[in-house]
Amino acid sequence: MNYLETQMDYPDFLPLALGSIAAACGMSWLISRTEAKNKDHDFFLPEEQRFNGEKKLTAKDQIVVDMLSTHKDLCWVITDPDMKDNEIIFASPGFCRQTGYERDEIEGKNCRFLQGKDTDPKDVQKIRDAITKKEDTSVCILNYRKDGTSFYNQFFIMPMLDKCGKCLYYLGVQVEVNSKNPGQEPSNPGWVYALC
């Protein structure tokens, strides 16, 4: 039984919230620990750089977005399926840094602008199928930065729903990995957070 099939009251919601907070703190600590040697800086996204959508998400989906906002280098976007081409309406600062694009070059486009000549059509179809079925999926896909360099992207996408199960947004989280090997899903914090 999934979250949408239940009527959660406060006692049922508490373990979900505590588990999500613990996962966010653990992932944030792990990421910040690996980068602490670089320079001392604030790891959290400032309030003005966080996603603040107009549509009301379920508590679980809002927690996932809040957890992604705990670190400014995490790479993620939110798209709006009510728009003509499911365009990106929010790009995190980490997404801009990783891809080399400015926010105004990203928002208003479909995510396929990261695809290139060697992107496998089967990987693209897996993402399209998940969107059509309104399901989570994870795929390692070859993407391209603004400067034309390619990178393997362990990509995770999930529909973000309202309390009635209507898809309000899609969340896409990407992590650069070294190769197109199976089993790399745990490297993606979006995948991990959605498990909570």
Side-chain angles (χ1 to χ4, degrees):
M1 184 175 294
N2 70 34
Y3 175 79
L4 294 172
E5 295 171 338
T6 64
Q7 289 292 352
M8 295 183 75
D9 57 19
Y10 183 75
D12 295 330
F13 178 73
L14 190 57
L16 173 66
L18 292 175
S20 297
I21 291 167
C25 292
M27 185 62 88
S28 186
W29 173 82
L30 179 65
I31 293 169
S32 63
R33 182 174 171 237
T34 60
E35 294 183 2
K37 298 174 187 172
N38 296 344
K39 54 187 164 190
D40 50 295
H41 63 282
D42 184 18
F43 290 104
F44 297 93
L45 278 178
E47 192 65 37
E48 65 275 3
Q49 292 182 5
R50 295 182 185 198
F51 175 68
N52 189 10
E54 297 174 2
K55 303 172 191 174
K56 178 94 170 120
L57 298 173
T58 62
K60 177 184 181 275
D61 289 346
Q62 186 61 56
I63 289 169
V64 171
V65 170
D66 291 344
M67 290 189 302
L68 288 169
S69 297
T70 63
H71 196 282
K72 68 180 184 178
D73 290 329
L74 292 180
C75 184
W76 52 288
V77 296
I78 293 181
T79 68
D80 188 340
D82 292 334
M83 297 177 77
K84 181 180 177 183
D85 198 24
N86 196 19
E87 289 97 349
I88 297 169
I89 59 168
F90 175 84
S92 72
F95 186 92
C96 297
R97 278 189 297 280
Q98 186 178 40
T99 63
Y101 290 94
E102 296 296 323
R103 184 176 271 182
D104 63 351
E105 296 176 287
I106 298 168
E107 293 176 354
K109 289 186 178 178
N110 182 284
C111 293
R112 69 179 156 268
F113 77 95
L114 294 175
Q115 298 170 20
K117 64 181 179 74
D118 292 325
T119 301
D120 188 336
K122 292 177 194 166
D123 295 333
V124 174
Q125 190 60 49
K126 185 174 180 184
I127 295 167
R128 287 183 181 145
D129 290 346
I131 290 170
T132 300
K133 296 174 184 175
K134 297 178 177 66
E135 296 177 345
D136 298 1
T137 197
S138 187
V139 61
C140 190
I141 187 169
L142 186 69
N143 281 155
Y144 292 83
R145 295 180 182 86
K146 183 177 181 176
D147 67 7
T149 59
S150 63
F151 65 99
Y152 285 108
N153 172 9
Q154 185 60 52
F155 180 69
F156 172 73
I157 187 170
M158 68 177 264
M160 298 171 64
L161 311 171
D162 69 9
K163 65 182 180 180
C164 298
K166 180 183 185 296
C167 182
L168 303 177
Y169 303 109
Y170 282 96
L171 170 67
V173 185
Q174 68 180 40
V175 173
E176 185 172 353
V177 292
N178 293 328
S179 63
K180 193 176 168 80
N181 292 328
Q184 298 183 93
E185 293 86 356
S187 66
N188 188 309
W191 184 84
V192 173
Y193 293 164
L195 293 175
C196 297

